[in-house]
Amino acid sequence: MAFTCVYSRALWGAETPLVRVEVHLSGGLPQFNLVGLPEAEVRESRDRVRAALNHCGFGFPLQRVTVNLAPAELPKHSSRYDLPIAIGILAASHHLPHALLENWEFAGELGLNGGLCAIHGALPMAVAVAQAGHWLMVARASAPEAVHGHPDGVYGATHLREAWDHLTGCSLLPPAHLESQETREVMPDIDLAQIRGQAQAKRVLEIAAGGRHHLLLVGPPGVGKSLLARCLPGICTPMTETEALALAAIRAAHRETVDPILWRIRPFRHPHHSVTTAALMGGGQGTHLHPGEVSLAHGGTLHLDELGEFPTHLLDMLREPLESGQVAVSRAAHKVIYPARFQLVGAMNPCPCGYRGHPAGRCRCTQPQLERYTRRLSGPFLDRIDLQWELPSLTAEELMAESQGESSKIVRQRVISAQERQQERQGMTNESLGSDALHRVAPLSAQARKLLLRAADHYELSVRAVHRVWRVARTIADLGTEESVSESAIAEALHYRTGFRKLDSST
């Protein structure tokens, strides 16, 4: 009778809890039992591990083999447990000394010939392994991703025999090296300088990027709403390491591959208005609770084009993550919380036909049609959008004129400088400031306070709306390298929130 314990990691939501792979060999008829709430792909590891051990010349124990994946209440997904199960059987059958495994964690899928294949989630797993003070053994194909989370303790093997040789000291594997900490520059799809006219809308976009504020662009077809939204990634700052690691864990839960070079580029997600609730917010069946678009946009932009075509219940579901920065995916027996701190950028027409308010009077929408269209955006949802701007129609002369606006690169430098000031001053972007922090880091002059109070009474702004105007004004001051929030900054912030009132069908 023999017993050994090997360590690995599970993927549960955006977390990587420790899993103890306990292997017990006992007398009796040869049998291989796998317990600990394994899913189908984990149960199939019995055949992969048996074939790999036989192919590598170790043989499979002719005993009763019991493998327990603890804790038993945690569902186990994916084929990542093949390698730790094989290592545990080798140690239990005295092919490996038990003491060699105390400071190691393993993850990898085994081929029938003993070859090691890549897994999803190597990066978040490596971060947890580093925090535990252990070394990590993965497939060599997963090592370039994992080394970003554990620069000094990742070893990549191509074969089970290589892993065994390293552990026994017969042939040591070189540790994986972090080749470059530089993030590759990615050219945006479109540069701000390519957009004709809309100088004021570009200013609004810069403010949105400067403080990561939510933005709504409204205007007739063809004025550049979607083009402006696509320019946003080109003027945003790179992701922080904390944001990038959280996003890597979310992508692993969605079974997406993390590019080790592009992993700190902010995501830009743009779901179609026919998206389902589960695809937008997250969902699934049983224990497979996958993240939705709101989580896959964590740290980046969630672009909802044709916002007026989205069902009302979907838009109202966004209200909670817009405030809390996370979303809970719950089913009868399980609950997973995913991060969802994204920047919302919506674009929509002012009416179903798109030409309401057009100088030529082209709109032919009836009053009932307008009411049905505008009711899709509830008051509480609009109240959470910091910047609301209506783009005017462009004349033929403006469309044909040469673009003389600033490039995305120039605007991006101002955005980076503004966010550096925010991080140095308060450790977060302005969009995340609470009411107490606003009084501390964004003091208002007497004239600015009077203007804000007067506007709040005149426009009947909610407390939330007042705070959002205040945050936008703080960003405007940061972009202008001003220490305090002036009356002009408050006036400009109010203009971007109250200047667009035509969405109300009664006006």
Side-chain angles (χ1 to χ4, degrees), residues 26 81 165 176 196 252 291 317 326 355 381-382 400 407 488 497:
S26 60
Y81 302 105
D165 287 341
R196 303 295 193 271
M317 284 181 182
Q326 62 183 24
Y355 293 101
F381 172 73
L382 286 173
M400 298 301 294
S407 67
S488 62
R497 188 173 186 92

Side-chain angles (χ1 to χ4, degrees), residues 47 125 134 142 158 162 194 201 212 220 228 341 417 451 476 489:
D47 298 317
M125 180 179 181
H134 293 166
S142 297
T158 60
E162 279 189 9
Q194 297 175 253
R212 295 200 56 75
L228 284 166
R341 191 165 294 281
S417 299
L451 174 61
I476 293 171

Side-chain angles (χ1 to χ4, degrees), residues 393-401:
S393 300
L394 297 177
T395 64
E397 184 179 351
E398 290 174 317
L399 287 173
M400 298 301 294

Side-chain angles (χ1 to χ4, degrees), residues 160-362:
L160 176 60
R161 193 83 194 191
E162 279 189 9
W164 181 85
D165 287 341
H166 179 81
L167 293 171
T168 57
C170 296
S171 178
L172 297 180
L173 292 168
H177 292 292
L178 191 60
E179 294 185 2
S180 175
Q181 292 281 8
E182 295 296 326
T183 301
R184 182 188 299 170
E185 288 287 338
V186 178
M187 296 301 295
D189 292 338
I190 185 169
D191 195 279
L192 274 175
Q194 297 175 253
I195 297 180
R196 303 295 193 271
Q198 305 297 0
Q200 196 64 54
K202 294 178 185 179
R203 168 67 174 169
V204 176
L205 192 71
E206 179 181 345
I207 295 171
R212 295 200 56 75
H213 301 289
H214 306 304
L215 171 65
L216 174 60
L217 298 172
V218 183
V223 296
K225 303 184 298 294
S226 299
L227 289 179
L228 284 166
R230 285 169 54 194
C231 287
L232 187 60
I235 63 175
C236 285
T237 60
M239 297 184 78
T240 65
E241 185 173 352
T242 302
E243 290 174 326
L245 290 173
L247 181 61
I250 294 168
R251 285 175 171 170
H254 200 250
R255 303 201 172 186
E256 291 186 8
T257 302
V258 178
D259 190 325
I261 296 181
L262 302 178
W263 73 294
R264 292 186 67 172
I265 301 297
R266 293 192 182 274
F268 184 83
R269 309 290 297 195
H270 43 92
H272 190 260
H273 58 76
S274 62
V275 65
T276 63
T277 300
L280 182 65
M281 305 301 294
Q285 297 180 348
T287 61
H288 292 272
L289 302 181
H290 58 78
E293 292 289 335
V294 296
S295 297
L296 293 168
H298 177 70
T301 302
L302 180 66
H303 175 42
L304 302 183
D305 203 2
E306 302 298 341
L307 190 68
E309 300 299 329
F310 281 80
T312 303
H313 74 278
L314 281 184
L315 297 181
D316 284 339
M317 284 181 182
L318 295 175
R319 286 153 52 181
E320 182 181 351
L322 283 174
E323 289 288 336
S324 64
Q326 62 183 24
V327 60
V329 182
S330 301
R331 292 298 179 266
H334 301 284
K335 177 181 178 180
V336 174
I337 297 178
Y338 286 108
R341 191 165 294 281
F342 55 88
Q343 182 178 10
L344 176 65
V345 177
M348 62 180 291
N349 297 324
C351 66
C353 76
Y355 293 101
R356 187 183 182 194
H358 194 276
R362 298 172 60 182

